């Protein structure tokens, strides 16, 4: 099968660029009320302060928790010395305080009349141009105590939108991801330097900050390092599986069920549903393991990336037990007592599931596309190219690290053997789940006999989720792949190393990197000793140097992957420094009538996620403000809980939709890397499908609310499914059979 690119029409980037410029002008023009920017800046300050408190660093909220352990205080905001009754400022303050406490005993009361003995938590705000000077005090009838140092907060401005707009515009103009992202980071750094008063030195200082501030921040993040380690280890595992004949055997087995492109796409979709517990693991495992199968069936890399990316986050977002639900509930659950809602956060999440229209309809749309074999738009052109010419990616594409891995063939003498791929993949899956459970305290939970308590399991998932669990899972999968492909001495060495790591953890409490290092050293020592004393293994196997060469199959292009991930993280961090998310939230907070609240939250969440490249950050920014707003709007007619459920569903769905369309999202990057698809081609082909689903959700799910009509979720989902089926039938065309 030929994989040489052919010349096909790539569209006109200038048309997209013109549209982007018009959208940018439309976004940059509106003025945001000062009160909205104050409240967003105050909420952002509290989020950062809560993060410092959880890490044990000095913080205002940490000091408050020490002084008032039961959490019962009144709250007051004073602007320029006068008490401010602006509900948005008070709401932001209460939301931040509640988020700091997992379950506040009595919530936080509004300001009390003079003479009450309840401690008063006072935040003084002194506006000074584009800045706020913020101080916090604890007042009692007898004393006034400052909590933490004073802090100056810059108000988010319209210039906070510049980094993502520049990155997207340059990507459309150049069709090169790395320089586009770098340009966005550089522009954001210049804006930040100018805002910090660098003056004439802003150009020089902002340029230096790209390395000494933004890059260094990501290099010193343990989470980033563990994500990169997970990617590298998983790719090494795939290389060994491929060289040992495991991937070839897996493809042969899969071809019994996936005999054509249609069944191959359905197999990919089904695999994504099975790996529901984490989106990172979903993207990397499904993309890497099924890529050889879809290549054999001449399914374009763009289609594979779409199947992987559009299954991972939606299924993790609605699964009752996943790393996503743990985070989602933790963001909004602390706000519920403050607005008078007694329901548990998990119960509100379950109640919101029928209204998660984008997630459900995205999964349905992926199934329709795979089952019908029809496509339209850029995806249709990609599929025609792959079927008729065998070119799996477009001309000029940068498929990342997969090119060298695709060249690997099984070692002579090691024929196709599916078990050399199936067992490492299963080991990775179960080890990741086990690592999450152990790190989250599942052992203690089982010891207490509380294994039926879903709320406790949510806490376990929240505490155990993270990049470390996926890295440890991939490490176990790599060890299993080496065991199945290696000689007897290597097998004994791996078993001995695993045993040593277990002893270090069980007896001495040494876990994490310490246990990993001990296990590796033990494996090397035992393998070397047995190799020196024993006889050569006559069975076909991979030697250690052969495994090293197979594991390094992605070496020549791994730098591209690392650079892409780091730049995506850097531009997200720059947007956080500039307040891109809070500015968009403030911009849209008063834009529409109350009846449009769910639709407004969906659109606002999508825009914030698109601009910042992070669905989780979007949820953290919007949900603490959306819950009190929905409760207050629904208090007049008794629909507070109903609107809160709608708000939760709209923000969570909008964040995933914006993430699907964002070229600076890390999950978008990982999906493209795992499937060997050009990053921008993945965004270009997936975005029209995501927009079709989002348009259906707005038309059937949110538009009726504007007329005062609330359709039952079942009717919306059925109507959406029918509408999407008609869309695929009317506009989609079946791809030709491979020639």
């Amino acid at each position: 099968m030929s994989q040489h690119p052919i010349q096909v029409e790539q569209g006109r980037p200038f048309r997209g660029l013109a549209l982007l410029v018009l959208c940018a002008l439309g976004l940059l023009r509106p003025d945001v009320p000062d009160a909205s920017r104050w409240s967003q800046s105050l909420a952002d300050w509290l989020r950062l302060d809560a993060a410092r408190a959880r890490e044990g660093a000095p913080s205002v909220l940490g000091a408050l928790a020490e002084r008032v352990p039961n959490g019962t205080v009144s709250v007051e905001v004073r602007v320029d010395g006068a008490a401010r009754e602006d509900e948005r400022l008070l709401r932001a303050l209460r939301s931040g305080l509640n988020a700091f406490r997992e379950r506040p005993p009595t919530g936080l009361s509004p300001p009390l009349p003079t003479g009450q003995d309840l401690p008063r938590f006072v935040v003084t705000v002194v506006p000074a141009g584009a800045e706020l000077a913020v101080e916090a005090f604890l007042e009692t009838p007898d004393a006034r105590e400052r909590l933490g140092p004073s802090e100056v907060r810059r108000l988010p401005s319209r210039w906070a939108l510049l980094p993502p707009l520049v990155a997207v515009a340059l990507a459309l103009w150049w069709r090169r991801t790395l320089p586009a992202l770098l340009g966005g980071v550089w522009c954001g750094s210049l804006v930040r330097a100018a805002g910090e008063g660098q003056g004439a030195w802003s150009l020089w200082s902002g340029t230096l900050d790209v390395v000494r501030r933004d890059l260094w921040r990501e290099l010193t993040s343990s989470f980033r390092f563990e994500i990169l380690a997970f990617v590298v280890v998983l790719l090494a595992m795939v290389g060994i599986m491929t060289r040992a004949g495991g991937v070839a055997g897996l493809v042969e087995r899969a071809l019994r069920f996936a005999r054509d492109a249609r069944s191959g796409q359905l197999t990919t979709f089904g695999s994504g549903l099975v790996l529901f517990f984490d989106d990172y693991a979903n993207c990397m495992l499904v993309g890497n393991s099924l890529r050889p199968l879809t290549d054999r069936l001449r399914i374009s890399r763009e289609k594979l990336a779409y199947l992987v990316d559009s299954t991972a986050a939606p299924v993790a977002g609605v699964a009752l037990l996943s790393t996503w639900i743990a985070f989602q509930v933790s963001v909004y659950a602390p706000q519920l007592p403050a607005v008078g809602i007694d329901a548990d956060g998990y119960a509100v999440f379950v109640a919101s599931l029928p209204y998660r229209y984008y997630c459900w309809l995205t999964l349905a749309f992926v199934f329709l596309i795979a089952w019908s074999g029809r496509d339209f738009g850029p995806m249709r052109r990609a599929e025609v190219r792959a079927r008729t010419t065998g070119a799996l990616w477009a001309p000029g594409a940068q498929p990342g690290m997969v090119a060298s891995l695709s060249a690997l063939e099984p070692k002579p003498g090691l024929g196709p053997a599916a078990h050399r791929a199936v067992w490492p993949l299963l080991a990775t899956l179960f080890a990741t789940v086990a690592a999450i459970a152990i790190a989250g305290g599942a052992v203690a939970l089982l010891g207490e006999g509380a294994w039926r308590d879903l709320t406790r399991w949510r806490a376990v998932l929240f505490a155990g989720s993270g990049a470390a669990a996926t890295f440890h899972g991939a490490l176990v999968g790599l060890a299993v792949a080496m065991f199945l492909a290696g000689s007897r001495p290597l097998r004994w060495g791996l078993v001995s190393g695993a045993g040593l790591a277990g002893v270090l953890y069980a007896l001495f409490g040494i876990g994490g990197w310490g246990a990993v290092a001990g296990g590796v050293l033990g494996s090397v020592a035992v393998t070397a000793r047995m190799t020196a004393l024993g006889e050569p293994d006559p069975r076909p196997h991979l030697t250690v140097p052969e495994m090293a060469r197979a594991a390094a199959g992605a070496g020549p292009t791994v730098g591209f992957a690392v650079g892409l991930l780091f730049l995506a993280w850097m531009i997200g961090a720059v947007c956080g420094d500039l307040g891109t998310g809070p500015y968009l939230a403030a911009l849209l907070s008063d834009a529409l009538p109350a009846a449009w609240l769910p639709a407004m939250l969906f659109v606002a969440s999508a825009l914030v996620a698109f601009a910042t490249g992070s669905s989780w950050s979007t949820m953290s920014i919007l949900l603490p403000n959306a819950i009190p707003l929905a409760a207050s709007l629904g208090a007049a007619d008794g629909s507070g809980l109903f609107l809160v459920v709608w708000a939760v569903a709209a923000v969570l769905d909008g964040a995933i939709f914006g993430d699907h369309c964002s070229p600076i999202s890390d999950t978008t990057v990982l999906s493209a890397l795992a499937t060997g698809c050009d990053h921008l081609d993945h965004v270009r082909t997936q975005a029209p499908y995501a927009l079709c689903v989002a348009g259906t959700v707005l038309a059937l799910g949110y538009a009726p609310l504007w007329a005062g009509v609330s359709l039952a979720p079942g009717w919306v989902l059925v109507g959406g499914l029918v509408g999407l089926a008609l869309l695929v039938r009317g506009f989609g065309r079946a791809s030709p059979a491979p020639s």
Side-chain angles (χ1 to χ4, degrees), residues 91-247:
R91 188 167 62 231
L93 187 57
R94 294 192 191 104
S95 297
L97 290 171
N98 281 334
F100 177 63
R101 300 179 177 88
E102 184 178 355
R103 295 184 64 83
T106 58
L108 295 160
S109 63
L112 295 179
T114 304
Q116 295 286 346
D117 293 333
L118 196 64
R120 188 187 302 269
F121 179 70
V122 180
V123 173
T124 64
V125 179
V126 181
E131 296 179 342
L132 292 179
V134 182
E135 293 182 302
F137 300 89
L138 181 65
E139 293 185 354
T140 63
D142 302 322
R144 185 173 190 259
E145 179 184 2
R146 182 196 298 271
L147 299 177
S150 59
E151 185 169 344
V152 177
R153 300 289 301 170
R154 288 198 58 80
L155 292 173
S157 69
R158 62 188 63 188
W159 293 106
L161 300 176
L162 188 63
L165 288 173
V166 167
V168 175
L170 291 179
L172 290 173
W173 187 282
W174 286 336
R175 288 194 52 79
R176 292 292 182 270
T177 306
L178 292 178
L181 290 176
L182 183 59
V185 174
W186 180 65
C187 288
S189 184
L190 294 184
V191 172
R192 183 180 56 200
E196 293 174 351
Q198 300 289 338
W201 292 97
S202 296
L203 179 61
W204 174 251
S205 178
T207 302
L208 290 179
D209 281 346
V210 172
V211 176
R212 68 185 182 185
R213 184 169 176 175
D214 300 314
L215 180 60
W216 179 249
R217 174 169 47 188
E218 303 308 320
L219 286 173
T220 55
S221 169
S222 60
F223 175 81
R224 307 305 194 201
F225 181 78
E226 287 162 348
I227 285 292
L228 291 176
F230 163 66
V231 172
V232 173
V233 169
L234 194 63
L235 287 168
M237 181 186 77
V238 172
I240 293 174
M241 287 162 39
T242 303
R243 188 62 173 159
V247 173

Side-chain angles (χ1 to χ4, degrees), residues 250-275 282 285-287 289-294 297 299 303-304 307-308 311 366-367 369-372 425:
L250 183 63
V251 171
E252 287 189 358
R253 290 285 185 91
L255 285 174
R256 299 177 185 177
F257 308 98
R259 299 179 180 275
D260 53 20
R262 175 174 172 269
S263 55
Q265 294 179 48
L266 290 173
T267 300
T268 305
F269 171 70
S271 301
L273 295 182
V274 172
L275 299 175
N282 192 320
L285 287 176
V286 176
S289 59
L290 293 183
R291 185 183 62 251
L293 172 66
T294 57
L297 299 173
I299 297 172
K303 172 61 77 66
L304 177 60
L307 294 172
V308 169
T311 305
V366 173
F367 173 78
I369 290 292
W371 179 73
S372 67
L425 293 173

Side-chain angles (χ1 to χ4, degrees), residues 23 97 99 128 135 143 191 214 236 261 282 318 344 428 509-510 520 524 662 716:
C23 293
L97 290 171
E135 293 182 302
V191 172
D214 300 314
N282 192 320
V318 298
D344 177 75
T428 302
I510 300 176
V520 170
V524 172
S662 176
V716 175

Side-chain angles (χ1 to χ4, degrees), residues 311-649:
T311 305
V315 73
V318 298
L320 290 177
L321 285 176
S322 72
T323 55
W324 274 63
I325 181 179
F327 174 79
Q328 291 168 343
V329 173
S330 70
V331 172
Y332 68 79
Q335 322 305 326
L336 299 178
V339 298
I341 295 178
D342 296 329
D344 177 75
Y346 195 88
V348 172
F349 175 83
V350 174
S352 72
L353 285 179
Y355 302 95
R356 299 291 299 276
Y357 297 140
Y358 179 79
C359 285
W360 295 121
L361 291 180
T362 293
L363 294 174
F365 193 63
V366 173
F367 173 78
L368 287 172
I369 290 292
W371 179 73
S372 67
R374 293 171 173 265
D375 291 286
F376 55 87
M379 190 71 78
R380 157 77 176 169
R381 294 192 290 271
E383 284 290 272
V384 170
R385 180 200 68 231
R387 304 292 170 75
T388 57
T389 69
L392 299 176
W393 48 78
Q398 295 178 319
M401 63 181 68
V402 178
S404 52
L405 283 177
S406 300
L408 282 177
E409 297 289 342
K411 178 182 177 180
L414 286 174
H419 72 278
R420 297 195 190 110
V422 172
W423 288 115
L425 293 173
L426 290 177
T428 302
L429 172 62
F430 287 111
T432 302
V433 175
I436 292 173
I438 293 173
V443 176
L445 181 64
L446 295 175
E448 298 172 4
W451 60 274
R452 295 182 179 179
D453 189 347
L454 289 180
T455 302
R456 297 284 300 277
W457 279 111
R458 172 180 62 81
V460 167
L461 288 171
F462 176 68
S465 62
T470 56
F471 166 67
H472 291 137
L475 201 62
V476 171
L478 175 63
V480 173
M482 294 174 65
F483 179 88
L484 295 174
S487 62
R488 288 195 186 99
L490 179 60
R491 291 185 175 188
W492 279 109
L494 290 170
V495 171
S496 302
L500 178 59
V503 168
L504 291 174
Y505 178 76
L507 298 183
F508 302 100
I510 300 176
W513 289 102
V516 170
V520 170
L521 292 176
S523 298
V524 172
V526 173
T527 302
R529 183 61 177 169
M530 292 195 66
T531 301
L533 296 178
E535 297 180 358
D537 192 343
R539 299 178 305 104
H541 62 272
L542 294 180
T543 64
V544 173
E546 288 173 336
M547 287 186 186
R549 287 192 294 269
T557 50
V558 75
F560 174 81
V562 172
L564 196 59
L565 280 172
F566 264 106
L567 285 172
W569 291 328
M570 287 168 63
I571 196 171
V574 168
C575 289
D577 293 340
L578 297 178
T580 303
Y583 178 79
L584 280 172
L587 177 66
L588 299 170
S589 60
D590 300 319
L592 297 172
W596 290 40
L597 177 65
M600 180 194 74
L601 290 175
F602 179 81
V603 174
S605 184
L607 289 175
V608 173
F610 180 85
T612 61
S614 173
S615 55
W616 283 28
S617 296
T618 300
M619 298 170 192
S620 300
I621 291 170
L622 291 183
L623 277 175
N625 300 299
I627 298 300
L629 178 60
S632 62
L633 290 176
D637 57 2
S639 62
L641 180 58
F642 175 75
L643 272 182
V644 166
V645 170
W646 262 105
V648 169

